[in-house]
Amino acid sequence: MGERINITRSSMPPYEEFIDAIKPLWDSHWMTNMGRYHNELEEKLKDYLKVDKISLLVNGHMSLEMIIQAFSFPEGSEIITSPFTFISTTHAIVRNGCKPVFCDVKASDGTIDEEKIEDLITEKTVAILPIHVYGNLCAIEKIEKIAKDYNLKVIYDAAHAFGESLNEVGIGNFGDASILSFHATKVFNSIEGGAVCFHDDWIYEKLYNLKNFGIRSETLVAEVGANAKMNEFCAIMGLCNLRHLTEAIKSRKEAFAYYCEAIDKIKGISSFRVLKPGEVNNYAYFPILVTDEASCNRDEIYDKLRADDIFARKYFYPITADQNCFRNKYKEVDLHVARDLSKHILTLPLYEGITRAEQDRVIKALS
Ligand SMILES: *Cc1c(COP(=O)(O)O)cnc(C)c1O
């Protein structure tokens, strides 16, 4: 047995670089509240992500909660979403007093099945909330056509798709808004952090109010808000990590290619990172599909890896609709594709700096 291998390992800048970068905070004593580094990170991310408008928040989850809140949907509104995701997506809908209407996914890439959306639309439907799961991009054109036909909002959970683009268009440009996560485990991190990308100016003002108690001046509280600001330490970590992101992604890309080559030779196992033509990959995840032709099933592979101290993850099992807190609570929908997928999927360790020796240990357990 070798050293423990985790599903991921946070990218961090050189220690001295971060320490030098935070030094000015001891002069200014300005640690949060839309400070200089918060604003600088917003500007730099606009460039990197090729978007016009962005608002930084404390994390990805609050970005999702607050963009849903920003649209002021009536209590009990229905939002069509996919259950093949991290639990945060469904929580954000429910915590806004809306009802998730689960839509099945496509077996080909795990994203929402755009052909099944229209049947789920009722007079209470207000939005579609699809997920670019593992960075696999949704059927953006079709989803936006449905939204237009039925006058619905589209909010993408793009937490896995940081920095991706389709035909040169940054992923944050699609829909009415997209949320990103800069959590420590993500391809780009600010320790904790998140953002919403959008088009309309009013959304910037609205999110500003929601994340800062509605405070607009010393004497004016314009509306009811919470606290979900990104602090200066996190913004500085983001700025440092952004400087090294190209090399981090290069390292991931090489590891990704190494996995692909090895997996090609293993019967019944294939990469589940499905690229569309014109798509730029961020190499955030390496999900594999373990079919019935493989020599072991998904759970057996998971156990074999664990026996060698390798922590792969069953992302995303169970589907969110089947979690204790949501089971049997919402509209009954046929979700057999998502359920089946969730039993055959395994996400392998992938991070900046993973060694070929570490990957060889992972590969060994697959064959
Ligand atoms: C990570 C993640 C989130 C939540 O982001 P945090 O920054 O951890 O709050 C939401 N949705 C998906 C799909 C995620 O992977």
Side-chain angles (χ1 to χ4, degrees):
M1 208 151 104
E3 296 269 298
R4 177 180 167 129
I5 301 173
N6 285 317
I7 177 77
T8 189
R9 193 181 70 172
S10 301
S11 286
M12 294 171 89
Y15 174 74
E16 286 76 17
E17 182 180 333
F18 182 69
I19 295 303
D20 279 348
I22 60 174
K23 237 177 220 149
L25 300 182
W26 271 260
D27 298 322
S28 67
H29 287 251
W30 190 301
M31 296 202 285
T32 186
N33 285 23
M34 282 58 100
R36 173 185 156 192
Y37 297 101
H38 166 282
N39 297 341
E40 191 179 326
L41 183 58
E42 263 186 6
E43 290 310 311
K44 293 247 158 80
L45 284 175
K46 278 186 206 167
D47 277 349
Y48 188 89
L49 299 168
K50 302 187 213 145
V51 296
D52 287 338
K53 300 192 174 88
I54 193 168
S55 175
L56 298 186
L57 286 95
V58 66
N59 58 45
H61 180 79
M62 289 311 294
S63 303
L64 198 47
E65 269 200 36
M66 289 190 165
I67 188 61
I68 296 171
Q69 195 182 352
F71 288 112
S72 307
F73 300 128
E75 183 85 21
S77 293
E78 295 177 355
I79 298 183
I80 298 173
T81 188
S82 139
F84 190 68
T85 180
F86 181 51
I87 197 73
S88 165
T89 319
T90 310
H91 281 333
I93 294 170
V94 174
R95 285 170 51 81
N96 268 289
C98 295
K99 285 205 176 85
V101 174
F102 297 111
C103 180
D104 211 352
V105 300
K106 288 173 290 188
S108 57
D109 66 3
T111 64
I112 195 164
D113 188 340
E114 65 277 9
E115 299 300 331
K116 294 181 180 162
I117 294 175
E118 274 185 271
D119 283 347
L120 298 171
I121 296 174
T122 71
E123 66 282 2
K124 286 196 168 159
T125 309
V126 291
I128 309 172
L129 204 170
I131 301 101
H132 300 304
V133 66
Y134 313 118
N136 290 349
L137 301 183
C138 302
I140 289 161
E141 250 177 60
K142 177 77 203 257
I143 289 169
E144 273 156 43
K145 180 172 187 312
I146 296 170
K148 212 168 153 216
D149 289 351
Y150 292 87
N151 194 25
L152 307 174
K153 301 289 177 208
V154 181
I155 303 167
Y156 286 103
D157 183 337
H160 297 171
F162 180 92
E164 292 193 348
S165 58
L166 188 61
N167 303 323
E168 314 277 312
V169 180
I171 205 64
N173 291 287
F174 299 115
D176 295 279
S178 295
I179 74 100
L180 298 165
S181 164
F182 312 147
H183 185 258
T185 55
K186 304 279 154 99
V187 67
F188 164 74
N189 85 77
S190 62
I191 310 174
E192 293 261 11
V196 185
C197 305
F198 48 87
H199 305 289
D200 297 340
D201 283 323
W202 71 265
I203 295 181
Y204 191 85
E205 301 307 317
K206 183 79 187 178
L207 288 173
Y208 190 99
N209 286 346
L210 292 175
K211 72 183 178 185
N212 188 39
F213 307 105
I215 296 173
R216 300 307 306 211
S217 78
E218 266 181 59
T219 50
L220 175 66
V221 174
E223 64 179 307
V224 181
N227 179 4
K229 306 183 295 286
M230 178 183 285
N231 71 60
E232 292 289 88
F233 285 85
C234 288
I236 290 171
M237 182 59 95
L239 286 165
C240 291
N241 277 332
L242 198 55
R243 258 181 243 136
H244 297 282
L245 194 56
T246 306
E247 30 177 313
I249 289 179
K250 182 166 173 280
S251 163
R252 286 170 170 278
K253 182 178 179 177
E254 287 161 7
F256 189 98
Y258 191 75
Y259 271 144
C260 284
E261 209 190 306
I263 275 160
D264 241 12
K265 300 180 192 121
I266 304 173
K267 195 164 171 262
I269 293 182
S270 54
S271 163
F272 199 63
R273 181 62 182 87
V274 186
L275 285 170
K276 282 189 155 63
E279 174 185 340
V280 171
N281 190 349
N282 63 9
Y283 305 94
Y285 301 97
F286 197 82
I288 56 166
L289 189 70
V290 184
T291 67
D292 297 336
E293 262 105 74
S295 57
C296 301
N297 67 31
R298 190 275 308 270
D299 288 345
E300 287 163 351
I301 292 175
Y302 175 86
D303 291 341
K304 269 168 78 177
L305 288 163
R306 277 298 286 266
D308 190 26
D309 231 6
I310 299 165
F311 289 72
R313 293 294 290 269
K314 297 175 189 178
Y315 289 144
F316 288 97
Y317 172 86
I319 58 171
T320 69
D322 290 343
Q323 279 293 354
N324 275 15
C325 53
F326 298 131
R327 198 164 34 206
N328 302 327
K329 277 210 175 141
Y330 300 103
K331 194 178 283 179
E332 186 102 10
V333 178
D334 175 12
L335 300 171
H336 76 274
V337 180
R339 280 199 185 94
D340 188 61
L341 195 55
S342 77
K343 291 186 188 118
H344 290 90
I345 207 91
L346 190 68
T347 301
L348 300 182
L350 178 67
Y351 43 85
E352 178 186 7
I354 189 171
T355 65
R356 298 302 162 261
E358 286 171 324
Q359 289 188 278
D360 285 339
R361 272 173 62 201
V362 175
I363 293 159
K364 203 173 129 224
L366 302 179
S367 17

